[in-house]
Amino acid sequence: MTELTHLTIAEAREKLAAREFSAVELTEAYLGAIDAANEKLNAYVAVTHDQARAMAKASDERLAKNEAGALEGIPLGIKDLFATEGIHTQAASHILDGFKPRYESTVTANLWADGAVMLGKLNMDEFAMGSSNETSYYGPVINPWRAAGSNQDLVPGGSSGGSAAAVAAFLCAGATATDTGGSIRQPAAFTGTVGIKPTYGRCSRWGTVAFASSLDQAGPIARDVRDAAILLKSMASVDAKDTTSVDLPVPDYEAALGRSLKGMKIGIPKEYRMDGMSGEIDALWQKGIDWLRDAGAEIVDISLPHTKYALPAYYIVAPAEASSNLARYDGVRYGLRVPGKDIIDMYEKTRAAGFGREVKRRVMIGTYVLSAGYYDAYYLKAQKVRTLIKRDFEVVFDAGVDAILTPATPSAAFGVADQKMNADPVQMYLNDVFTVTVNMAGLPGIAVPAGLDARGLPLGLQLIGQPFGEETLFTVAHAIEQAAGRFKPTPWW
Amino acid sequence: MSVDIETVKRVARLARIAVDEGEAERMTGELNAILGFVEQLDEVNVDGIEPMTSVIPMEMRKRVDQVTDGNKAADIVANAPATEDNFFVVPKVVE
């Protein structure tokens, strides 16, 4: 029999329903895998053994009574950004030391209502700020993938690096993640997993620690396209507690898999062919184009002229919103407090000790661009550029394009403590060059594994959809998956 | 535009983050690298363009103005580093 932890959610769901094994057995298999591997991979910052066992037991009872929910007995990992009642919730930051919320995020509440089991909280870049999972207070996550013949530790990408690594290493059946500039799609691409950032407003932000409120969206990371569709269906909802949650019914995303691509128009944006792009990425992109053409789609060349301005505009908008959102961490209401000679001194010492280097850098940039005299030159200008970026997409979609195909990342996973990435913050930011446009325009985007590079590391393609066009993305991503096959790391951990 | 170390110290003060001389110096370099990167936006003509306020065109949802939640003072202060009788305790701010 296949190892229980290697089953997809769809497979496990079927076998649980057929009573081939129990939810408790499935959960125990995952807890055993986590306990054996986490020291090496550092994907979890908290493992909730007792909670997981109690939830699995309750799932078995519901399965016995034929009252199973859509995710009954499926063990999931939760990014440390989601508030989980009574359980470690720190956004992988020192400043939230000891924080155990008295409430549950809407996204996780939706998952538990559907019968899912919580295995624990997943490591991430501190406050979701990073592209390598190296800014976590809890140390870097190690990618389960290694280059052929090498034992160098690679990053899993970020900020949802713990989510991606745990899914790829079979330490959870699926995971929640969040994406502000690429934080679901880039780690999915680095680990050979599938990650979807839905349209802004599709998943409630209530109870997720805020980074940049106009860009943050939750979504799943999963082993294949079907599992991603199953998870998103449960995570998404209309929520009165989030005024930006959109009042539209949640479709059955799984039903979109296997639909024909005939008559679909797939846009190929010339601006994503960046200067100095690696030949491997270019070849992968061409392969994706061929697969979709073979599946019956019409391929059209398109132009998104403001693409190159998305990343610089993002590095004004996101830090500005972050500096405002992170003002709440002041040593008064929760988490760390460092005493000072007066209240201002207490604030300053608490924030100096509690925030890591990247978070401080972004709060500083945000404070600067919003400060008196600079608001118009930076923030207002960036928000106008954002309008132009969104307009580029609208023009293309109005012309009949159903989805846009691009590479997901400019490279495969790089090494932990990579010198080039760490010497210059902008080098690290360039990881998000293909993904950030999607957040700036509020669109859905999915990263799907498409092949391995010459060193045997996974590479992904990205599909960008129309607002609330997630079903189309699942249809097209599934076609890529069918053509490309699936990719699993060779266990060394 | 670029920042000098005095500006960095002023911004750190506004952001309520204590920085020492060495950190301020390091941050000056990092902030200038980022500000240099975002300078590309100067190439974009934004005359007559409305700034983005919402990515999804939607009406702000409003609810009836009535109490829907409350009576949970103990929950609210539960995670605070210092409390007394359901109040947050901070260093003295009024002499």
CSV table of all heavy atoms in Angstrom, one decimal, chain A residues 386-440:
chain,number,residue,atom,x,y,z
A,386,ARG,N,-0.4,52.0,-10.3
A,386,ARG,CA,-1.2,50.8,-10.1
A,386,ARG,C,-2.4,50.8,-11.0
A,386,ARG,O,-2.8,49.7,-11.6
A,386,ARG,CB,-1.5,50.7,-8.6
A,386,ARG,CG,-1.9,49.3,-8.2
A,386,ARG,CD,-2.0,49.4,-6.7
A,386,ARG,NE,-2.7,48.1,-6.3
A,386,ARG,CZ,-3.1,47.9,-5.1
A,386,ARG,NH1,-3.0,48.8,-4.1
A,386,ARG,NH2,-3.7,46.7,-4.8
A,387,THR,N,-3.1,51.9,-11.1
A,387,THR,CA,-4.2,52.0,-12.0
A,387,THR,C,-3.8,51.7,-13.4
A,387,THR,O,-4.6,51.0,-14.1
A,387,THR,CB,-4.8,53.5,-12.0
A,387,THR,OG1,-5.2,53.7,-10.6
A,387,THR,CG2,-5.9,53.7,-12.9
A,388,LEU,N,-2.6,52.1,-13.9
A,388,LEU,CA,-2.2,51.8,-15.2
A,388,LEU,C,-1.9,50.3,-15.4
A,388,LEU,O,-2.2,49.8,-16.5
A,388,LEU,CB,-0.9,52.6,-15.5
A,388,LEU,CG,-1.1,54.1,-15.7
A,388,LEU,CD1,0.2,54.9,-15.7
A,388,LEU,CD2,-2.0,54.5,-16.9
A,389,ILE,N,-1.3,49.7,-14.4
A,389,ILE,CA,-1.1,48.3,-14.4
A,389,ILE,C,-2.4,47.5,-14.6
A,389,ILE,O,-2.5,46.6,-15.4
A,389,ILE,CB,-0.3,47.8,-13.2
A,389,ILE,CG1,1.1,48.4,-13.2
A,389,ILE,CG2,-0.2,46.3,-13.1
A,389,ILE,CD1,1.8,48.4,-11.8
A,390,LYS,N,-3.3,47.9,-13.8
A,390,LYS,CA,-4.6,47.2,-13.9
A,390,LYS,C,-5.3,47.4,-15.2
A,390,LYS,O,-5.9,46.5,-15.8
A,390,LYS,CB,-5.6,47.7,-12.8
A,390,LYS,CG,-6.9,47.0,-12.7
A,390,LYS,CD,-7.6,47.3,-11.4
A,390,LYS,CE,-9.1,46.9,-11.4
A,390,LYS,NZ,-9.4,45.5,-11.8
A,391,ARG,N,-5.1,48.6,-15.8
A,391,ARG,CA,-5.7,49.0,-17.1
A,391,ARG,C,-5.1,48.1,-18.2
A,391,ARG,O,-5.8,47.7,-19.1
A,391,ARG,CB,-5.5,50.5,-17.3
A,391,ARG,CG,-6.4,51.0,-18.4
A,391,ARG,CD,-6.2,52.5,-18.5
A,391,ARG,NE,-6.8,53.3,-17.4
A,391,ARG,CZ,-6.7,54.6,-17.3
A,391,ARG,NH1,-5.9,55.3,-18.1
A,391,ARG,NH2,-7.3,55.3,-16.3
A,392,ASP,N,-3.8,47.9,-18.1
A,392,ASP,CA,-3.1,47.0,-19.1
A,392,ASP,C,-3.9,45.6,-19.2
A,392,ASP,O,-4.1,45.1,-20.3
A,392,ASP,CB,-1.7,46.7,-18.6
A,392,ASP,CG,-0.7,47.8,-18.9
A,392,ASP,OD1,-1.1,48.8,-19.5
A,392,ASP,OD2,0.4,47.7,-18.4
A,393,PHE,N,-4.2,45.1,-18.0
A,393,PHE,CA,-4.9,43.8,-18.0
A,393,PHE,C,-6.3,43.9,-18.5
A,393,PHE,O,-6.8,43.0,-19.3
A,393,PHE,CB,-4.9,43.2,-16.5
A,393,PHE,CG,-3.6,42.6,-16.1
A,393,PHE,CD1,-2.8,43.3,-15.2
A,393,PHE,CD2,-3.2,41.4,-16.6
A,393,PHE,CE1,-1.6,42.8,-14.7
A,393,PHE,CE2,-2.0,40.8,-16.1
A,393,PHE,CZ,-1.2,41.5,-15.2
A,394,GLU,N,-7.0,45.0,-18.2
A,394,GLU,CA,-8.4,45.2,-18.6
A,394,GLU,C,-8.4,45.2,-20.1
A,394,GLU,O,-9.3,44.6,-20.7
A,394,GLU,CB,-9.0,46.4,-18.0
A,394,GLU,CG,-9.3,46.3,-16.5
A,394,GLU,CD,-9.6,47.6,-15.8
A,394,GLU,OE1,-9.4,48.6,-16.4
A,394,GLU,OE2,-10.0,47.5,-14.6
A,395,VAL,N,-7.5,45.9,-20.7
A,395,VAL,CA,-7.5,46.0,-22.2
A,395,VAL,C,-7.4,44.6,-22.8
A,395,VAL,O,-8.1,44.3,-23.8
A,395,VAL,CB,-6.3,46.9,-22.7
A,395,VAL,CG1,-6.1,46.8,-24.2
A,395,VAL,CG2,-6.6,48.4,-22.2
A,396,VAL,N,-6.5,43.8,-22.3
A,396,VAL,CA,-6.2,42.5,-22.8
A,396,VAL,C,-7.4,41.6,-22.6
A,396,VAL,O,-7.9,40.9,-23.5
A,396,VAL,CB,-5.0,41.9,-22.1
A,396,VAL,CG1,-4.9,40.4,-22.4
A,396,VAL,CG2,-3.7,42.6,-22.6
A,397,PHE,N,-8.0,41.6,-21.4
A,397,PHE,CA,-9.2,40.8,-21.2
A,397,PHE,C,-10.4,41.3,-22.0
A,397,PHE,O,-11.2,40.4,-22.5
A,397,PHE,CB,-9.5,40.8,-19.7
A,397,PHE,CG,-8.5,40.1,-18.8
A,397,PHE,CD1,-8.1,40.6,-17.6
A,397,PHE,CD2,-8.0,38.9,-19.2
A,397,PHE,CE1,-7.2,40.0,-16.8
A,397,PHE,CE2,-7.1,38.2,-18.4
A,397,PHE,CZ,-6.6,38.7,-17.2
A,398,ASP,N,-10.5,42.6,-22.2
A,398,ASP,CA,-11.6,43.1,-23.0
A,398,ASP,C,-11.5,42.6,-24.5
A,398,ASP,O,-12.5,42.5,-25.2
A,398,ASP,CB,-11.7,44.6,-23.0
A,398,ASP,CG,-12.2,45.1,-21.7
A,398,ASP,OD1,-12.8,44.3,-20.9
A,398,ASP,OD2,-12.1,46.3,-21.4
A,399,ALA,N,-10.2,42.3,-24.9
A,399,ALA,CA,-10.0,41.8,-26.2
A,399,ALA,C,-10.3,40.3,-26.4
A,399,ALA,O,-10.0,39.7,-27.4
A,399,ALA,CB,-8.6,42.2,-26.7
A,400,GLY,N,-10.7,39.7,-25.3
A,400,GLY,CA,-11.1,38.3,-25.4
A,400,GLY,C,-10.1,37.3,-24.8
A,400,GLY,O,-10.4,36.1,-25.0
A,401,VAL,N,-9.1,37.8,-24.2
A,401,VAL,CA,-8.1,36.8,-23.6
A,401,VAL,C,-8.7,36.2,-22.4
A,401,VAL,O,-9.2,36.9,-21.5
A,401,VAL,CB,-6.7,37.5,-23.4
A,401,VAL,CG1,-5.8,36.7,-22.5
A,401,VAL,CG2,-6.0,37.8,-24.7
A,402,ASP,N,-8.6,34.9,-22.3
A,402,ASP,CA,-9.2,34.2,-21.1
A,402,ASP,C,-8.2,34.1,-19.9
A,402,ASP,O,-8.6,34.1,-18.8
A,402,ASP,CB,-9.7,32.8,-21.5
A,402,ASP,CG,-10.8,32.9,-22.5
A,402,ASP,OD1,-11.9,33.2,-22.1
A,402,ASP,OD2,-10.5,32.6,-23.7
A,403,ALA,N,-6.9,33.8,-20.3
A,403,ALA,CA,-5.9,33.7,-19.3
A,403,ALA,C,-4.6,34.0,-19.9
A,403,ALA,O,-4.4,34.0,-21.1
A,403,ALA,CB,-5.9,32.3,-18.7
A,404,ILE,N,-3.6,34.4,-19.0
A,404,ILE,CA,-2.3,34.8,-19.5
A,404,ILE,C,-1.3,33.8,-18.9
A,404,ILE,O,-1.3,33.4,-17.8
A,404,ILE,CB,-2.0,36.2,-19.0
A,404,ILE,CG1,-3.0,37.2,-19.6
A,404,ILE,CG2,-0.5,36.6,-19.3
A,404,ILE,CD1,-3.0,38.6,-18.9
A,405,LEU,N,-0.3,33.4,-19.8
A,405,LEU,CA,0.7,32.4,-19.4
A,405,LEU,C,2.0,33.1,-19.3
A,405,LEU,O,2.5,33.8,-20.2
A,405,LEU,CB,0.8,31.2,-20.4
A,405,LEU,CG,1.8,30.2,-20.1
A,405,LEU,CD1,1.4,29.3,-18.9
A,405,LEU,CD2,2.1,29.3,-21.3
A,406,THR,N,2.7,32.9,-18.1
A,406,THR,CA,4.0,33.5,-17.9
A,406,THR,C,4.9,32.5,-17.1
A,406,THR,O,4.3,31.6,-16.5
A,406,THR,CB,4.0,34.8,-17.1
A,406,THR,OG1,3.8,34.5,-15.7
A,406,THR,CG2,2.8,35.7,-17.6
A,407,PRO,N,6.2,32.7,-17.1
A,407,PRO,CA,7.0,31.9,-16.1
A,407,PRO,C,6.5,32.4,-14.7
A,407,PRO,O,6.0,33.5,-14.5
A,407,PRO,CB,8.4,32.4,-16.3
A,407,PRO,CG,8.4,33.1,-17.6
A,407,PRO,CD,7.0,33.6,-17.8
A,408,ALA,N,6.7,31.5,-13.7
A,408,ALA,CA,6.3,31.9,-12.3
A,408,ALA,C,7.5,32.6,-11.6
A,408,ALA,O,7.2,33.5,-10.8
A,408,ALA,CB,6.0,30.6,-11.5
A,409,THR,N,8.7,32.2,-11.9
A,409,THR,CA,9.8,32.9,-11.2
A,409,THR,C,11.0,33.0,-12.2
A,409,THR,O,11.0,32.3,-13.2
A,409,THR,CB,10.4,32.0,-10.0
A,409,THR,OG1,10.7,30.7,-10.5
A,409,THR,CG2,9.3,31.9,-8.9
A,410,PRO,N,11.9,33.9,-11.9
A,410,PRO,CA,13.1,34.1,-12.9
A,410,PRO,C,14.1,33.0,-12.8
A,410,PRO,O,15.0,32.8,-13.6
A,410,PRO,CB,13.7,35.4,-12.5
A,410,PRO,CG,12.8,36.0,-11.4
A,410,PRO,CD,11.9,34.9,-10.9
A,411,SER,N,14.0,32.1,-11.7
A,411,SER,CA,15.0,31.1,-11.6
A,411,SER,C,14.4,29.9,-10.7
A,411,SER,O,13.3,30.1,-10.2
A,411,SER,CB,16.2,31.6,-10.8
A,411,SER,OG,15.9,31.8,-9.4
A,412,ALA,N,15.2,28.9,-10.6
A,412,ALA,CA,14.8,27.8,-9.6
A,412,ALA,C,15.3,28.2,-8.2
A,412,ALA,O,15.9,29.3,-8.1
A,412,ALA,CB,15.5,26.5,-10.0
A,413,ALA,N,15.0,27.4,-7.2
A,413,ALA,CA,15.4,27.7,-5.9
A,413,ALA,C,16.9,28.0,-5.8
A,413,ALA,O,17.7,27.3,-6.4
A,413,ALA,CB,15.0,26.6,-4.9
A,414,PHE,N,17.2,29.0,-4.9
A,414,PHE,CA,18.7,29.3,-4.7
A,414,PHE,C,19.1,28.8,-3.3
A,414,PHE,O,18.3,28.3,-2.5
A,414,PHE,CB,18.9,30.8,-4.9
A,414,PHE,CG,17.9,31.7,-4.2
A,414,PHE,CD1,18.1,32.1,-2.9
A,414,PHE,CD2,16.8,32.1,-4.9
A,414,PHE,CE1,17.2,32.9,-2.3
A,414,PHE,CE2,15.8,32.9,-4.3
A,414,PHE,CZ,16.0,33.3,-3.0
A,415,GLY,N,20.4,28.9,-3.0
A,415,GLY,CA,20.9,28.4,-1.8
A,415,GLY,C,20.5,29.2,-0.6
A,415,GLY,O,20.2,30.4,-0.7
A,416,VAL,N,20.5,28.6,0.6
A,416,VAL,CA,20.3,29.3,1.9
A,416,VAL,C,21.5,30.2,2.1
A,416,VAL,O,22.6,29.8,1.8
A,416,VAL,CB,20.1,28.3,3.0
A,416,VAL,CG1,20.2,29.0,4.4
A,416,VAL,CG2,18.8,27.5,2.9
A,417,ALA,N,21.2,31.4,2.5
A,417,ALA,CA,22.3,32.4,2.8
A,417,ALA,C,23.1,32.8,1.5
A,417,ALA,O,24.3,33.0,1.5
A,417,ALA,CB,23.3,32.0,3.8
A,418,ASP,N,22.3,32.8,0.4
A,418,ASP,CA,22.9,33.1,-0.9
A,418,ASP,C,23.5,34.6,-0.9
A,418,ASP,O,22.8,35.5,-0.4
A,418,ASP,CB,21.8,33.1,-2.0
A,418,ASP,CG,22.3,33.3,-3.4
A,418,ASP,OD1,22.4,34.5,-3.8
A,418,ASP,OD2,22.7,32.4,-4.1
A,419,GLN,N,24.8,34.7,-1.3
A,419,GLN,CA,25.5,36.0,-1.1
A,419,GLN,C,24.9,37.1,-1.9
A,419,GLN,O,24.7,38.2,-1.4
A,419,GLN,CB,26.9,35.8,-1.4
A,419,GLN,CG,27.7,35.0,-0.4
A,419,GLN,CD,29.1,35.3,-0.4
A,419,GLN,OE1,29.7,35.6,-1.4
A,419,GLN,NE2,29.8,35.2,0.8
A,420,LYS,N,24.6,36.8,-3.2
A,420,LYS,CA,24.0,37.8,-4.1
A,420,LYS,C,22.7,38.3,-3.6
A,420,LYS,O,22.4,39.5,-3.5
A,420,LYS,CB,23.9,37.2,-5.5
A,420,LYS,CG,23.6,38.3,-6.6
A,420,LYS,CD,23.7,37.6,-7.9
A,420,LYS,CE,22.3,37.8,-8.6
A,420,LYS,NZ,21.8,36.8,-9.5
A,421,MET,N,21.8,37.4,-3.1
A,421,MET,CA,20.5,37.7,-2.7
A,421,MET,C,20.6,38.6,-1.4
A,421,MET,O,19.7,39.4,-1.2
A,421,MET,CB,19.7,36.5,-2.4
A,421,MET,CG,19.3,35.7,-3.6
A,421,MET,SD,18.1,36.6,-4.6
A,421,MET,CE,18.0,35.5,-6.0
A,422,ASN,N,21.5,38.3,-0.5
A,422,ASN,CA,21.6,38.9,0.7
A,422,ASN,C,22.4,40.2,0.8
A,422,ASN,O,22.3,41.0,1.7
A,422,ASN,CB,22.1,37.9,1.8
A,422,ASN,CG,21.0,36.9,2.2
A,422,ASN,OD1,20.0,37.3,2.8
A,422,ASN,ND2,21.1,35.7,1.7
A,423,ALA,N,23.2,40.4,-0.3
A,423,ALA,CA,24.0,41.6,-0.3
A,423,ALA,C,23.1,42.9,-0.7
A,423,ALA,O,23.4,44.0,-0.2
A,423,ALA,CB,25.1,41.5,-1.3
A,424,ASP,N,22.1,42.6,-1.4
A,424,ASP,CA,21.3,43.8,-1.9
A,424,ASP,C,19.8,43.4,-1.8
A,424,ASP,O,19.4,42.5,-2.5
A,424,ASP,CB,21.7,44.0,-3.4
A,424,ASP,CG,20.9,45.1,-4.1
A,424,ASP,OD1,20.0,45.7,-3.4
A,424,ASP,OD2,21.0,45.2,-5.3
A,425,PRO,N,19.0,44.2,-1.0
A,425,PRO,CA,17.6,43.8,-0.9
A,425,PRO,C,16.9,43.8,-2.2
A,425,PRO,O,16.0,42.9,-2.4
A,425,PRO,CB,17.0,44.9,0.0
A,425,PRO,CG,18.1,46.0,0.1
A,425,PRO,CD,19.4,45.4,-0.2
A,426,VAL,N,17.3,44.6,-3.2
A,426,VAL,CA,16.6,44.6,-4.5
A,426,VAL,C,16.7,43.3,-5.2
A,426,VAL,O,15.8,42.9,-5.9
A,426,VAL,CB,17.0,45.9,-5.3
A,426,VAL,CG1,16.4,45.8,-6.7
A,426,VAL,CG2,16.7,47.2,-4.6
A,427,GLN,N,17.9,42.7,-5.1
A,427,GLN,CA,18.1,41.4,-5.7
A,427,GLN,C,17.0,40.4,-5.3
A,427,GLN,O,16.5,39.6,-6.0
A,427,GLN,CB,19.5,40.8,-5.4
A,427,GLN,CG,20.6,41.3,-6.3
A,427,GLN,CD,20.3,41.1,-7.8
A,427,GLN,OE1,19.8,40.1,-8.2
A,427,GLN,NE2,20.6,42.1,-8.6
A,428,MET,N,16.8,40.4,-4.0
A,428,MET,CA,15.8,39.4,-3.4
A,428,MET,C,14.4,39.8,-3.9
A,428,MET,O,13.6,39.0,-4.2
A,428,MET,CB,15.9,39.5,-1.9
A,428,MET,CG,15.0,38.5,-1.1
A,428,MET,SD,15.5,36.8,-1.4
A,428,MET,CE,16.6,36.6,0.0
A,429,TYR,N,14.1,41.1,-4.0
A,429,TYR,CA,12.8,41.6,-4.4
A,429,TYR,C,12.5,41.1,-5.8
A,429,TYR,O,11.3,40.9,-6.2
A,429,TYR,CB,12.7,43.1,-4.3
A,429,TYR,CG,12.8,43.7,-2.9
A,429,TYR,CD1,13.0,45.0,-2.7
A,429,TYR,CD2,12.8,42.8,-1.8
A,429,TYR,CE1,13.1,45.6,-1.4
A,429,TYR,CE2,12.9,43.4,-0.5
A,429,TYR,CZ,13.1,44.7,-0.3
A,429,TYR,OH,13.2,45.3,0.9
A,430,LEU,N,13.5,41.0,-6.7
A,430,LEU,CA,13.3,40.6,-8.1
A,430,LEU,C,12.8,39.2,-8.3
A,430,LEU,O,12.3,38.9,-9.3
A,430,LEU,CB,14.6,40.8,-8.9
A,430,LEU,CG,15.1,42.2,-9.1
A,430,LEU,CD1,16.5,42.3,-9.7
A,430,LEU,CD2,14.1,42.9,-10.1
A,431,ASN,N,12.8,38.4,-7.2
A,431,ASN,CA,12.1,37.1,-7.3
A,431,ASN,C,10.7,37.2,-7.6
A,431,ASN,O,10.1,36.3,-8.2
A,431,ASN,CB,12.2,36.4,-5.9
A,431,ASN,CG,13.4,35.6,-5.7
A,431,ASN,OD1,13.5,34.5,-6.3
A,431,ASN,ND2,14.4,36.1,-5.0
A,432,ASP,N,10.1,38.3,-7.3
A,432,ASP,CA,8.6,38.5,-7.4
A,432,ASP,C,8.2,39.2,-8.7
A,432,ASP,O,7.1,39.7,-8.9
A,432,ASP,CB,8.0,39.3,-6.2
A,432,ASP,CG,8.1,38.4,-5.0
A,432,ASP,OD1,8.1,37.2,-5.1
A,432,ASP,OD2,8.0,39.0,-3.9
A,433,VAL,N,9.2,39.4,-9.6
A,433,VAL,CA,9.0,40.2,-10.8
A,433,VAL,C,7.8,39.7,-11.7
A,433,VAL,O,7.1,40.5,-12.2
A,433,VAL,CB,10.3,40.4,-11.6
A,433,VAL,CG1,10.7,39.1,-12.3
A,433,VAL,CG2,10.2,41.5,-12.6
A,434,PHE,N,7.6,38.4,-11.7
A,434,PHE,CA,6.5,37.9,-12.6
A,434,PHE,C,5.2,37.8,-11.8
A,434,PHE,O,4.1,37.6,-12.4
A,434,PHE,CB,6.8,36.5,-13.1
A,434,PHE,CG,8.1,36.5,-14.0
A,434,PHE,CD1,9.0,35.5,-13.9
A,434,PHE,CD2,8.2,37.5,-15.0
A,434,PHE,CE1,10.1,35.5,-14.7
A,434,PHE,CE2,9.3,37.4,-15.8
A,434,PHE,CZ,10.3,36.5,-15.7
A,435,THR,N,5.2,37.8,-10.5
A,435,THR,CA,4.0,37.5,-9.7
A,435,THR,C,3.4,38.8,-9.2
A,435,THR,O,2.2,38.8,-8.9
A,435,THR,CB,4.4,36.6,-8.5
A,435,THR,OG1,5.5,37.1,-7.8
A,435,THR,CG2,4.6,35.2,-8.9
A,436,VAL,N,4.2,39.9,-9.0
A,436,VAL,CA,3.7,41.0,-8.2
A,436,VAL,C,2.6,41.8,-9.0
A,436,VAL,O,1.7,42.4,-8.4
A,436,VAL,CB,4.9,41.9,-7.8
A,436,VAL,CG1,5.4,42.7,-9.0
A,436,VAL,CG2,4.6,42.8,-6.7
A,437,THR,N,2.6,41.8,-10.3
A,437,THR,CA,1.7,42.5,-11.1
A,437,THR,C,0.2,42.0,-10.8
A,437,THR,O,-0.7,42.8,-10.8
A,437,THR,CB,1.9,42.2,-12.6
A,437,THR,OG1,2.0,40.8,-12.8
A,437,THR,CG2,3.1,42.8,-13.1
A,438,VAL,N,0.1,40.7,-10.5
A,438,VAL,CA,-1.2,40.1,-10.2
A,438,VAL,C,-1.8,40.7,-8.9
A,438,VAL,O,-3.0,41.0,-8.9
A,438,VAL,CB,-1.0,38.6,-10.1
A,438,VAL,CG1,-2.3,37.9,-9.6
A,438,VAL,CG2,-0.5,38.0,-11.5
A,439,ASN,N,-0.9,40.9,-7.9
A,439,ASN,CA,-1.4,41.5,-6.7
A,439,ASN,C,-1.8,43.0,-6.9
A,439,ASN,O,-2.8,43.5,-6.3
A,439,ASN,CB,-0.4,41.4,-5.6
A,439,ASN,CG,0.1,40.0,-5.3
A,439,ASN,OD1,0.8,39.4,-6.1
A,439,ASN,ND2,-0.4,39.4,-4.2
A,440,MET,N,-1.0,43.7,-7.7
A,440,MET,CA,-1.2,45.1,-7.9
A,440,MET,C,-2.6,45.3,-8.6
A,440,MET,O,-3.2,46.3,-8.3
A,440,MET,CB,-0.1,45.7,-8.7
A,440,MET,CG,1.3,45.7,-8.0
A,440,MET,SD,1.3,46.7,-6.5
A,440,MET,CE,1.7,48.3,-7.1
